[in-house]
Amino acid sequence: MTNASTACSASPERPRGPGWRRWLLAAGLCAVATGAAAHKSSDAYLVLQAEAGGTQLRWDIALRDLDAALPTLDADNDRQLTWREVREAWPAIDAYALPRLQVPGCQWQVNGHALERRSDGAYAVLQLKAPCQVTAATPMVYRLLAEVDPTHRGIAKLVAADGSATARLLDPTAPDLPLEEGAAAPAAEHASFIAEGVHHIVTGYDHLLFLLCLILPAVLRRIPGQPTGQPPGWAPVANWRQAALPVAGVVTLFTLAHSLTLALAALKLVSLPSWFIEPAIAITIGIAAVDNLRPLFGRRRGVVTFLFGLIHGFGFAGVLGELQLPPAQFGWALLQFNLGLELGQLAIIAAVVPLLYALRRAALYVPAVLRGGSAAAFGMAAWWLVQRTALS
């Protein structure tokens, strides 16, 4: 892996003529060799229902996450989990999960198991109960997957006896605090959905790669009048304003588009299956990368950015859609989550664009950064497409 990464870090000048296809393929293969995780963040879903004499808990944990935490889950090491393997592993799953959720006064007992197919894969369902009352103010220590995936989050919905519901975000990396009866929940557990939105965009590598493909040419201008069949020439923009306007346009269109479908999907007004959305996101990255090498859209680039942004919005919707909160709370959570997405996105752009602007006059910017980066993005998109098609 180290050798492959080192070899790919050097971006050779692109050969002229038909050889550009071989160069594109080589760069793409380098991107595949370095590897990268798909964007789906690791989330578990907890629904705590208060009732007379105690609390019922339904805890949904993705099998892909359990497979990472429990190497023995895939008993025959064929990278395919069967119902028999999961059924035989229930004691090990219980023994792993239960100590990693601590609530004062609650001794969880297993009340049943199930498997459920969600839009992003299969989940193990632990049905638990305890003779305790859990409220929105009850402190909870959550440590699921802390040792294998610090980006994991528990998304909890607490339903009171009167039917009112509140949402909690549980961070396995939050510092340990004493659990005392009647104590208020630690502030770290009440991380707002703004923070969760930032978390999802920062760990959403495919969304970031798509955005990067869109802004790589922003510090350049195309030189018209190239011979037919040849890629366009490039020249650095003269000043900051000429770079800022294209970046602002791209970010605005992408934001409007993914905000629209995020809301529609989270409200379950429009629903598209994960087996379609995940490969489609990979395809948008590949097309955006090719457009940097051979112009496909011209003046319609903004329209295409908006249309592709619609697809990416569905990729953000899973977290809120699973909560099924009351309308007022859902609307507030949706607003915070989307604001977090945009803040994270703007922070990344604020860090990247000035660097691109400073490098725009370098002789290697076009062959190494623009073309080499776009070719590597194309290769990564191709790898993600293969991954997501094979796993769907």
Side-chain angles (χ1 to χ4, degrees), residues 162-254:
D162 62 3
S164 61
T166 56
R168 296 264 291 273
L169 293 172
L170 306 176
D171 182 353
T173 64
D176 281 318
L177 292 174
L179 292 178
E180 300 177 359
E181 291 284 357
E189 289 185 7
H190 285 300
S192 71
F193 279 96
I194 294 178
E196 188 65 10
V198 173
H199 169 254
H200 268 69
I201 188 66
V202 170
T203 59
Y205 305 121
D206 49 2
H207 300 296
L208 296 180
L209 189 57
F210 174 73
L211 194 60
L212 182 62
C213 285
L214 295 179
I215 64 176
L216 278 179
V219 295
L220 304 172
R221 59 182 178 85
R222 294 186 192 267
I223 300 176
Q226 294 294 306
T228 302
Q230 294 296 316
W234 297 93
V237 296
N239 55 60
W240 174 252
R241 290 182 180 178
Q242 293 179 351
L245 288 176
V247 170
V250 163
V251 172
T252 299
L253 289 169
F254 184 61

Side-chain angles (χ1 to χ4, degrees), residues 21 294 389:
R21 294 181 178 84
R294 290 275 179 159
T389 303

